Amino acid sequence: MPSPKIERSDAELAQVTVGERVPHNSTIFLQEYDTQWPRLYAVERQRIQAALGAGARQIEHVGSTSVPGLCAKPIIDMLLLVADSADESAYLPTMQKAGYTLRIREPDWYQHRMFKGPGTDSNIHVFTVGSEEAQRMLLFRDWLRAHPEDRDLYAAAKRRLAARVWRHVQHYADAKTAVVQQIMQRALAVGSAR
């Protein structure tokens, strides 16, 4: 299965970015867990649901802001599952009308699309219902919620990496792959033993 590359070049990132990509060239700001994050998610969830109706097959709060006790960039990550994420005509015009801006189009990576939200600082990750990557995101979230030792391991790795200067925020995200894979191996091992 395709997977994101580590330290993708500016040219590679430009290929999947919709609009201008401005280099970050700084460290990453991490905030301690904020109990307002679930409320902010609920506001965006309601906005997306109102816009797409039944076209929004599933909407979930994912990423670090969805895990109580975990530090995070203060950006609400959301998972939006649609019938076919490659069929942009089914959701893109409606999302844009509701104020969402398409920023990422990755047809070679599970037909992933990513929107920025109009109000709350949010990333809405769009995948097809049943997508392997969507299932992985939910498993990772649920595992971290239930296993504080892995949540803390992930937090320590995030803090260590966040202290570095990154040309693009995506490079920071990609650099977390090793610790994510380590945690996912445990989650998958428990899942397959059931």
Side-chain angles (χ1 to χ4, degrees):
M1 276 295 164
S3 62
K5 295 178 185 176
I6 302 301
E7 286 292 322
R8 289 179 273 183
S9 70
D10 284 4
E12 289 172 307
L13 290 172
Q15 287 178 346
V16 299
T17 302
V18 178
E20 183 182 4
R21 177 174 283 275
V22 178
H24 182 67
N25 292 328
S26 187
T27 58
I28 303 297
F29 171 71
L30 295 179
Q31 180 178 321
E32 292 306 313
Y33 182 78
D34 187 335
T35 57
Q36 291 301 306
W37 288 339
R39 183 188 64 75
L40 295 173
Y41 155 73
V43 168
E44 288 305 312
R45 183 187 195 292
Q46 183 176 20
R47 183 177 303 168
I48 293 167
Q49 190 69 62
L52 293 178
R57 300 288 184 88
Q58 186 175 350
I59 305 171
E60 296 280 345
H61 189 185
V62 294
S64 296
T65 62
S66 72
V67 179
L70 184 58
C71 59
K73 297 187 312 295
I75 301 170
I76 306 300
D77 278 300
M78 299 174 64
L79 174 64
L80 169 60
L81 299 181
V82 297
D84 179 2
S85 58
D87 181 11
E88 291 183 5
S89 65
Y91 62 89
L92 178 60
T94 307
M95 289 289 283
Q96 289 175 324
K97 187 176 179 183
Y100 292 89
T101 304
L102 181 65
R103 292 292 295 141
I104 301 291
R105 179 183 285 122
E106 294 180 289
D108 294 336
W109 190 63
Y110 305 99
Q111 289 294 336
H112 173 244
R113 308 298 191 269
M114 193 273 288
F115 289 86
K116 293 298 287 181
T120 301
D121 193 357
S122 56
N123 294 329
I124 294 78
H125 300 275
V126 183
F127 291 99
T128 300
V129 170
S131 160
E132 182 181 323
E133 179 60 14
Q135 293 170 6
R136 186 198 69 78
M137 291 171 78
L138 293 171
L139 176 62
F140 189 67
R141 176 200 68 188
D142 294 346
W143 182 266
L144 292 181
R145 285 177 172 176
H147 295 86
E149 66 284 357
D150 275 336
R151 179 200 65 209
D152 294 345
L153 173 69
Y154 187 49
K158 287 169 53 123
R159 285 186 177 101
R160 186 173 55 256
L161 291 168
R164 290 177 46 190
V165 172
W166 297 95
R167 177 158 173 76
H168 295 287
V169 175
Q170 185 61 50
H171 292 157
Y172 159 78
D174 291 344
K176 295 183 294 181
T177 299
V179 70
V180 169
Q181 288 176 340
Q182 178 186 351
I183 293 168
M184 283 298 293
Q185 284 177 348
R186 283 191 283 281
L188 291 168
V190 169
S192 65
R194 290 183 180 168

